[in-house]
Amino acid sequence: MSYKFGLIGYPLSHSMSKVIQEAALKSTGIEGSYELLETKQEDLISRVKYLRSRGFKGFNVTIPLKVPITLFLSNVDNIANVAGSANTIKINDDYSLSGYNTDVYGFLEAIPADLKNELQGESIAVFGAGGAARAVGAGLSLLKAGNIDFYVRNIINASDMADNLRKNFPEVKINCIQIENMYSLENYKMLVNTTPVGMKSNSPNKAFVSEKILKTMKPDSCVYDIVYNPLKTKLIKLAKKNGLRTIQGLDMLIYQGAKAFEIWTGKKPDINKMKIAALEEMID
């Protein structure tokens, strides 16, 4: 039996998902393929029909479809329900779609254990309000963060995300703040970028925050950029330059991808081989 998987979203030129999932297939001895299927939001309906009719067993979802895809799901796991977004879809034998959010798992797995403990009760700044931001918000809430401030360009558009998190995590204080009103990061233990700013295909030489504002963070604070291509984004470089702890996006990608593969196949892939494959692709 040969499996067919894929990734939908737009743009996909930066994506390492094909590389890591093919490494996962090889590491488990499963015959199959993984396709990159660029899909704009207005083409989502036709793309879902295509995936159902062409024998796909599952697919990943990225920007800007992690929230819209939820409208097509017959059922979702608890984490996807809490996050209000899904990035991993399983196509069942009856062609119904089951949704999962492995971004939450991947985001949390990439955080060192000692830092996870330090984040309890702390204030954290998150840039963005899309599907990835929802997953990050859910993950930080599960870690029992005290306060999460989402810095966004449009507060009205972010209100649904904030309301969903407040409903599921009433003990965590959730705020949405206009990005123009960010003057200091001194009160935050961690800063997380969930926007595509800094991505190889989206302003690779830019950071969502200026170095002047980044300098206001305390030395023991951490900057986590979920952008993984390039390996060291402008934000990560600025954070390292100023002596801050950093977490790069590749580990989150690998962990969420491995969890997705397990959902689709029931097999645990070799995470190290997935990471090596991604690194080799990026170095080339």
Side-chain angles (χ1 to χ4, degrees), residues 52-71:
R52 280 172 164 157
S53 65
R54 297 300 176 95
F56 282 78
K57 295 297 181 182
F59 58 97
N60 289 126
V61 185
T62 189
I63 296 171
L65 306 175
K66 293 182 180 182
V67 176
I69 193 65
T70 58
L71 298 173

Side-chain angles (χ1 to χ4, degrees), residues 2-284:
S2 181
Y3 288 87
K4 284 174 68 175
F5 306 113
L7 171 69
I8 65 171
Y10 186 87
L12 299 181
S13 58
H14 67 282
S15 178
M16 287 290 118
S17 290
K18 179 177 174 65
V19 173
I20 66 169
Q21 293 296 355
E22 287 182 344
L25 286 163
K26 189 174 180 180
S27 77
T28 54
I30 294 175
E31 185 181 339
S33 62
Y34 190 96
E35 298 179 31
L36 299 182
L37 302 162
E38 286 203 330
T39 307
K40 295 182 179 180
Q41 193 160 337
E42 59 266 29
D43 300 320
L44 183 55
I45 293 175
S46 60
R47 179 62 76 194
V48 169
K49 289 180 179 177
Y50 172 88
L51 291 162
R52 280 172 164 157
S53 65
R54 297 300 176 95
F56 282 78
K57 295 297 181 182
F59 58 97
N60 289 126
V61 185
T62 189
I63 296 171
L65 306 175
K66 293 182 180 182
V67 176
I69 193 65
T70 58
L71 298 173
F72 297 83
L73 306 179
S74 297
N75 55 78
V76 296
D77 74 334
N78 185 52
I79 295 298
N81 186 50
V82 166
S85 64
N87 74 305
T88 297
I89 311 300
K90 184 175 183 179
I91 301 178
N92 302 307
D93 291 341
D94 63 356
Y95 300 105
S96 65
L97 305 181
S98 295
Y100 304 83
N101 194 310
T102 64
D103 278 340
V104 176
Y105 172 82
F107 172 74
L108 292 175
E109 281 295 299
I111 302 175
D114 58 338
L115 181 54
K116 285 180 181 176
N117 293 329
E118 292 177 37
L119 292 176
Q120 291 187 21
E122 292 285 349
S123 292
I124 298 162
V126 178
F127 297 158
R134 289 169 178 257
V136 167
L140 292 171
S141 298
L142 289 169
L143 287 181
K144 295 181 169 56
N147 179 78
I148 306 173
D149 289 342
F150 289 90
Y151 285 92
V152 300
R153 299 198 185 281
N154 190 315
I155 289 180
I156 294 175
N157 288 349
S159 61
D160 180 63
M161 172 196 68
D163 289 343
N164 188 61
L165 287 170
R166 291 185 188 113
K167 180 182 72 175
N168 286 286
F169 301 99
E171 69 281 5
V172 181
K173 190 175 180 183
I174 306 290
N175 303 296
C176 290
I177 304 170
Q178 199 77 32
I179 184 63
E180 289 80 8
N181 294 327
M182 180 178 62
Y183 305 108
S184 172
L185 296 169
E186 63 183 326
N187 296 321
Y188 299 111
K189 188 71 174 180
M190 176 183 274
L191 177 158
V192 185
N193 175 45
T194 72
T195 76
V197 175
M199 193 181 287
K200 190 174 182 180
S201 61
N202 187 315
S203 311
N205 297 315
K206 290 185 178 180
F208 199 82
V209 60
S210 69
E211 184 173 9
K212 179 181 178 181
I213 294 178
L214 201 62
K215 282 177 177 287
T216 64
M217 294 190 79
K218 294 181 175 66
D220 65 340
S221 300
C222 179
V223 172
Y224 189 154
D225 195 343
I226 74 167
V227 171
Y228 60 83
N229 191 4
L231 275 173
K232 290 184 180 178
T233 61
K234 179 72 171 178
L235 178 60
I236 290 293
K237 288 177 180 177
L238 289 176
K240 286 181 177 290
K241 177 184 174 184
N242 288 283
L244 299 169
R245 289 190 277 182
T246 60
I247 300 174
Q248 294 165 220
L250 184 59
D251 283 343
M252 175 179 171
L253 174 76
I254 300 299
Y255 285 124
Q256 69 79 23
K259 179 61 74 173
F261 187 87
E262 188 178 348
I263 288 169
W264 294 328
T265 68
K267 304 282 188 181
K268 288 190 176 184
D270 189 317
I271 288 174
N272 289 328
K273 289 182 178 179
M274 294 171 73
K275 188 170 184 177
I276 289 169
L279 290 170
E280 287 178 345
E281 180 73 13
M282 283 192 262
I283 291 170
D284 287 345

